[in-house]
Amino acid sequence: MSKQKSASAQTSVTAILVINCGSSSVKFSLIQPRSGTTLLSGLAECLTTPQASIKVRYNVDIDNQEQVETSTLVAPFDHQVALNTLVNKLVQLNLVDSIVAIGHRVVHGGEHYAQPTLINTTVKKTIEKLAKLAPLHNPANIIGINACQQAFATLPQVAIFDTAFHQSMPEKAYLYGLPIKLYQEHSIRRYGFHGTSHYFVANQAAKLMSKPLEQCNLISAHLGNGCSVTVIKNGQSVDTSMGMTPLEGIMMGTRSGDIDAGIIFHLVEQLGFSIEQVDTLLNKKSGLFGLSELSNDCRTLETVMLDKSHPQSAQATLALTVFCYRIAKSIASFSASLSELDGLIFTGGIGENSSWVRQEVVNQLGLLNFHLCEEKNQATRFGSSGDIAINTSRPCWVIGTNEEWVIAEQSAQLLTSNSAGKL
Ligand code: AMP
């Protein structure tokens, strides 16, 4: 892990505990907001199943070697148990006193939250109500908030919403072509996600150009298991590919992305699918996984694609080809939102590491004057970053995302401006 510093040597230094509670996982990091140093991090996954596990990484100052511990808890265990394990570890490492606040990633803030927000009873109730828009994510976020309030009763808790960065989208971008009452009475509109990641990489690109973010016009492609493209005008999100839920937009690991909504009627009326089966099909069995019938994992598919003797090589190639075409189409469509474009950003596990996907995408963007340098593209992987385009092209940057650091930094800024905490 980069920038992970000796934990027990840092106890007097203020830090933010960042919590990202998913439906079956908890990701956590203890970060010093000023330096971006991670003192401790970890992941609890497969929660409430027999495979539940928790892993914690930290340094001890004796030999400055990173320690990786896998908990010996007996599975299954839940979010609360995972967070209690984290708290015990923080106590054992003498790190609790360094924590000045908890920053929570919250997936859906609806139209209520465009900024980092100090969590109180009203905010919690609103996050709970917004669960109707994010039934898998917001309830898990509330579990994390409750568990942390119990464990750290005196510390401020801050919510950083995945949707917040996209609240600057204009009506023409966020409205669906549906009866307006569905928006007015039921909040059915496009919200967008991955906001923290798009915000972070846009900021980094602004730094690379030595320009204030407010003067930057960018398109960023966050390509991981979930994928989204965002167009940033004068530093603000003006459109993004995900919609009311993360299912809209480009094809992803297991999500279909955009389809003709008529397919849903066909599946139900002609093929006898239940609504639950349609949900599972579109969210968990489609995308790279559905087309390849092999894997949702880009790395696996690339390996199989290149191994021409593999029986599913052609199908892996097909899945990756459709994936890249859909990404390129989405990027090109966002030229409608801009009159100037400084460059394109790739981020997320695939965007940061797959030179094949980047090349295949950019090969289809010649009309926007994007052309990759093969050597730079090949060399920029596994943590390296920079511009991978040829000199005459618009810049194409690979930038590693760091949502945890944004959450820590924004939590710290909120506390400083509210004087709610001393940093
Ligand atoms: P994320 O959700 O951001 O962690 O990204 C996960 C995706 O990144 C998975 O599809 C991985 O296969 C993909 N990925 C990670 N490393 C590589 C790599 N070296 N080459 C291709 N894809 C990769």
Side-chain angles (χ1 to χ4, degrees), residues 27 222-226 253 288 295-302 347-355 357 381-382 401 403:
K27 246 170 117 177
H222 177 112
L223 310 177
N225 237 328
L288 288 172
S295 174
N296 63 318
D297 191 287
C298 182
R299 227 170 336 191
T300 307
L301 294 180
E302 279 187 37
T347 192
I350 299 172
E352 291 166 37
N353 297 302
S354 174
S355 46
V357 167
R381 304 173 76 189
F382 314 130
T401 195
E403 289 156 283

Side-chain angles (χ1 to χ4, degrees), residues 217-219 231 335 338-344 368 370 394-395:
N217 298 295
L218 301 157
I219 296 178
V231 53
S335 66
L338 297 171
S339 48
E340 287 171 47
L341 175 56
D342 293 310
L344 171 65
L368 289 177
F370 285 117
R394 281 184 215 276

Side-chain angles (χ1 to χ4, degrees), residues 7-140:
S8 48
Q10 303 282 337
T11 46
S12 59
V13 181
T14 57
I16 307 282
L17 181 61
V18 176
I19 300 288
N20 180 354
C21 247
S23 52
S24 63
S25 66
V26 184
K27 246 170 117 177
F28 47 86
S29 328
L30 185 63
I31 297 177
Q32 291 176 264
R34 282 205 192 120
S35 62
T37 301
T38 302
L39 302 175
L40 170 148
S41 66
L43 173 69
E45 54 189 341
C46 303
L47 294 173
T48 70
T49 77
Q51 288 79 38
S53 68
I54 176 165
K55 213 174 241 183
V56 187
R57 293 164 179 269
Y58 59 92
N59 274 4
V60 291
D61 56 357
I62 302 163
D63 51 5
N64 210 25
Q65 285 284 310
E66 185 182 78
Q67 306 288 308
V68 182
E69 272 180 20
T70 303
S71 159
T72 50
L73 282 175
V74 178
F77 55 89
D78 61 9
H79 295 73
Q80 185 74 54
V81 173
L83 285 161
N84 290 346
T85 309
L86 166 65
V87 173
N88 290 341
K89 194 76 219 165
L90 291 166
V91 170
Q92 188 196 334
L93 291 171
N94 205 16
L95 283 167
V96 171
D97 289 346
S98 70
I99 306 173
V100 290
I102 324 287
H104 296 269
R105 175 189 182 218
V106 180
V107 167
H108 221 304
E111 288 186 330
H112 298 266
Y113 303 108
Q115 301 295 336
T117 304
L118 205 55
I119 298 172
N120 57 26
T121 314
T122 314
V123 173
K124 251 169 68 171
K125 279 197 181 130
T126 310
I127 296 171
E128 274 164 1
K129 273 194 204 147
L130 287 166
K132 66 177 189 287
L133 296 175
L136 288 180
H137 296 99
N138 276 28

